Amino acid sequence: MRGDQEALGKSSPWKRKSSNRSRKESPARHGEMVSHCLSAHSQLHGALGSVSQPLFRYFNTSNNNLKYWGLDYPPFTAYHSMLCAYVAKSINPEWIALHTSRGYESLGHKLFMRTTVLVADFIVYVPAILYYILYCEGPGTIKVSSLLCALLYPGLILIDHGHFQYNCISLGLALWGLLGLSNGHVLLGSMAFCLALNYKQMELYHALPFFCYLLGNCLRDLKGGGLTRLITITLVVLISFACCWLPFLTSFQQSLQVIQRLFPVDRGLFEDKVGNIWCSLSVILKVKTILSQQTQIWFSLAATLLTLLPTCVKLTINPTIKGFKFALVNCSLSFFLFSFQVHEKSILLAAVPVLLFLHELPFMATWFLLVSTFSMFPLFLKDGLLLPYIVTSLAFLFVTTKLLSAFEKVSMEDLQLQPFSQSLKRYTPQVAKFAFLLSVIGMATLSLTSITLVSPAQLPDLFPVLVSLFSCIHFLIFLMYFNILHLSEPVFKGYQLAVK
């Protein structure tokens, strides 16, 4: 249930600036999209009752044109879509008329669509952030400041409430998974992450840290019941997946079709101008043209595995919650920078774990979150979200610098680099501040030139490419930084899991 819906205004999730895309020239998908959700329910009902009918949004039928609005997310997304369809039908059946709703627009319908994202935010994502900060952070005043800064992260606000998506659900469920593991509720945490993965397949970015953390803790206590815990966790994961995929397990062809929809390799190595290594490398070496698609897949797989291997090995050997959070950042950044078929919005999978470090590493976390938002600037500009982008980014920068004193916490101790050369201690604050200011000036300059200048005819994508290059350099530095912090973490002797 996604789309780049026309916005309603400029200042909040309820009111966003209108998109530049004409709804008259290209009929909007959002009306029929909800109708597909409702029809999917009747198909699901038949599948559960007679085990013979698939959820048709994954298949080409007379009622479902995959090229127009085929579902390319896992089954849990379809179930959420059905729930929204029920509510939509009770309000106005015209919104979900299967064929006649194509191109349908009304203020009430737009408001309903926006409301579904806001409701999902408050049910799944916001409570997870609230719980983490209130129960896992420091003193009361710091908790309030961290909470406000985390909820004001502009990247997620603009993508979910401006571009219009439901990332808050998968990311929120992943956070609940982390909270479950942090509090010893391993089975509930594992189930929550399974739901996240079955809502959006991009949660694979976080899968290895969950696996390594659980495996590492179980291996540390093999004589004390670790093997039993591992088997129990495995059963919970298998049951969770089986429940989500039940309508498709009756036919191998159905399951294969869904998997093909989830991993459309034909889309290529990357989409649009994304701030990762392959898009940046394409400036001087046309990777998509020179290498075959199969070679691209193997190269990207090898690069991804090599760059995430150190943090995964360290987490398996030393499975601590802090290391787990570092691994979530490192693995998601490795996937974003080096994996196959990356979209610019995928940086949110690295950004949300970084939000968890706002209290511990306010300077680096703030810097990363600003760059992650900037990396999606061409998309925001395309969607007509320039003003919300400027307002939310400035607000986030102001709040983090004032409430968390992010710009002041730049010593070796604040950056958690004290184990390294003390000769750098004197210069670190000045260098860090200068680099940050230079980065902010660079982001502001590129944003301004993208708006005011016209790209040369021979280089039509000049400014989006510059944004991608700029962002990629930053992400590589951040990947090295968070890997250094994780690999230098002291080894914890013991285990932290108890099945609840």
Side-chain angles (χ1 to χ4, degrees):
M1 194 172 177
R2 57 174 191 160
D4 28 326
Q5 307 301 323
E6 181 178 353
L8 300 180
K10 296 182 180 179
S11 58
S12 74
W14 298 86
K15 298 179 179 180
R16 295 288 182 195
K17 186 176 178 181
S18 295
S19 169
N20 292 330
R21 300 170 190 167
S22 171
R23 304 304 178 195
K24 302 300 181 183
E25 297 174 2
S26 179
R29 296 176 176 177
H30 55 275
E32 190 167 66
M33 176 272 296
V34 184
S35 72
H36 279 169
C37 302
L38 183 65
S39 296
H41 168 263
S42 62
Q43 293 288 343
L44 174 64
H45 183 74
L48 294 177
S50 62
V51 294
S52 62
Q53 298 182 41
L55 278 167
F56 86 114
R57 281 198 67 202
Y58 293 101
F59 307 92
N60 246 329
T61 71
S62 58
N63 289 323
N64 188 57
N65 183 349
L66 287 181
K67 293 182 179 180
Y68 180 73
W69 198 262
L71 189 62
D72 53 4
Y73 288 134
F76 197 47
T77 298
Y79 307 148
H80 171 231
S81 298
M82 293 186 309
L83 178 62
C84 293
Y86 272 127
V87 179
K89 183 182 179 183
S90 67
I91 299 173
N92 187 346
E94 290 184 7
W95 295 350
I96 57 169
L98 181 57
H99 296 291
T100 60
S101 64
R102 180 174 293 199
Y104 180 91
E105 288 190 56
S106 73
L107 180 61
H109 182 252
K110 294 175 186 176
L111 195 59
F112 168 76
M113 298 295 286
R114 294 293 179 189
T115 304
T116 60
V117 183
L118 203 60
V119 169
D121 234 340
F122 280 106
I123 290 178
V124 182
Y125 178 76
V126 173
I129 289 289
L130 185 65
Y131 184 92
Y132 175 82
I133 289 176
L134 292 183
Y135 291 93
C136 303
E137 292 285 352
T141 53
I142 297 296
K143 289 179 179 179
V144 174
S145 300
S146 298
L147 177 63
L148 182 60
C149 294
L151 294 178
L152 283 177
Y153 169 53
L156 188 58
I157 293 174
L158 293 170
I159 289 296
D160 275 15
H161 300 284
H163 182 71
F164 191 83
Q165 285 197 336
Y166 292 92
N167 295 286
C168 57
I169 295 180
S170 57
L171 293 170
L173 288 170
L175 285 176
W176 281 113
L178 181 149
L179 289 168
L181 270 55
S182 301
N183 291 283
H185 298 283
V186 180
L187 301 183
L188 290 175
S190 300
M191 185 173 66
F193 181 70
C194 287
L195 293 177
L197 189 52
N198 278 286
Y199 192 87
K200 280 203 173 183
Q201 64 271 35
M202 299 313 294
E203 278 298 325
L204 284 169
Y205 283 32
H206 297 151
L208 277 174
F210 273 88
F211 174 78
C212 293
Y213 176 80
L214 291 169
L215 179 64
N217 268 290
C218 290
L219 292 177
R220 282 193 167 214
D221 189 38
L222 283 177
K223 295 181 179 180
L227 182 59
T228 303
R229 281 196 295 273
L230 184 60
I231 293 172
T232 306
I233 293 167
T234 303
L235 288 174
V236 168
V237 170
L238 292 175
I239 292 170
S240 300
F241 268 82
C243 290
C244 288
W245 284 76
L246 186 61
F248 307 100
L249 298 180
T250 58
S251 168
F252 176 75
Q253 288 301 321
Q254 289 183 22
S255 303
L256 185 62
Q257 171 70 10
V258 176
I259 293 172
Q260 288 174 345
R261 292 292 302 169
L262 299 185
F263 302 101
V265 294
D266 290 339
R267 291 184 182 178
L269 189 56
F270 53 86
E271 288 194 45
D272 296 326
K273 297 298 179 285
V274 57
N276 76 348
I277 197 71
W278 305 119
C279 183
S280 301
L281 189 61
S282 293
V283 174
I284 55 175
L285 186 67
K286 302 300 179 183
V287 180
K288 284 185 175 182
T289 305
I290 296 174
L291 302 178
S292 67
Q293 188 176 84
Q294 188 175 12
T295 304
Q296 293 172 34
I297 293 173
W298 283 112
F299 263 114
S300 59
L301 177 62
T304 305
L305 291 177
L306 284 173
T307 52
L308 58 77
L309 186 62
T311 196
C312 287
V313 171
K314 178 61 183 286
L315 183 61
T316 306
I317 296 172
N318 188 40
T320 64
I321 289 297
K322 186 174 182 179
F324 180 36
K325 293 189 293 182
F326 280 133
L328 287 171
V329 177
N330 292 330
C331 285
S332 51
L333 265 179
S334 291
F335 270 102
F336 179 82
L337 284 167
F338 298 101
S339 67
F340 188 87
Q341 227 293 296
V342 176
H343 197 284
E344 61 261 56
K345 299 187 292 292
S346 301
I347 194 59
L348 295 176
L349 291 147
V352 169
V354 172
L355 282 174
L356 307 181
F357 288 102
L358 272 171
H359 169 58
E360 296 178 62
L361 301 164
F363 177 77
M364 294 301 289
T366 298
W367 193 356
F368 178 92
L369 294 168
L370 285 172
V371 175
S372 69
T373 303
F374 171 73
S375 71
M376 297 180 281
F377 178 70
L379 177 62
F380 298 145
L381 204 58
K382 193 184 299 182
D383 284 346
L385 296 172
L386 174 61
L387 184 58
Y389 162 77
I390 295 172
V391 172
T392 54
S393 296
L394 290 177
F396 180 76
L397 178 60
F398 175 79
V399 171
T400 51
T401 52
K402 291 297 180 182
L403 297 184
L404 297 179
S405 303
F407 200 58
E408 303 302 320
K409 297 181 179 179
V410 291
S411 66
M412 293 287 280
E413 291 74 17
D414 292 324
L415 300 178
Q416 298 187 12
L417 295 173
Q418 57 269 36
F420 299 94
S421 177
Q422 292 299 309
S423 61
L424 301 175
K425 189 172 182 179
R426 178 189 299 180
Y427 306 103
T428 298
Q430 290 82 358
V431 172
K433 287 183 179 181
F434 178 74
F436 178 80
L437 287 173
L438 204 62
S439 175
V440 171
I441 292 171
M443 287 186 280
T445 302
L446 280 173
S447 298
L448 185 62
T449 52
S450 298
I451 301 164
T452 57
L453 300 181
V454 178
S455 300
Q458 63 274 24
L459 297 171
D461 296 323
L462 174 62
F463 296 119
V465 167
L466 289 176
V467 170
S468 298
L469 281 168
F470 183 91
S471 303
C472 181
I473 293 170
H474 280 76
F475 292 145
L476 286 170
I477 294 171
F478 286 123
L479 178 63
M480 289 188 287
Y481 171 75
F482 283 107
N483 265 286
I484 288 171
L485 294 192
H486 188 197
L487 297 177
S488 62
E489 184 190 23
V491 175
F492 171 78
K493 297 181 179 179
Y495 64 93
Q496 301 183 348
L497 292 184
V499 175
K500 297 182 183 178

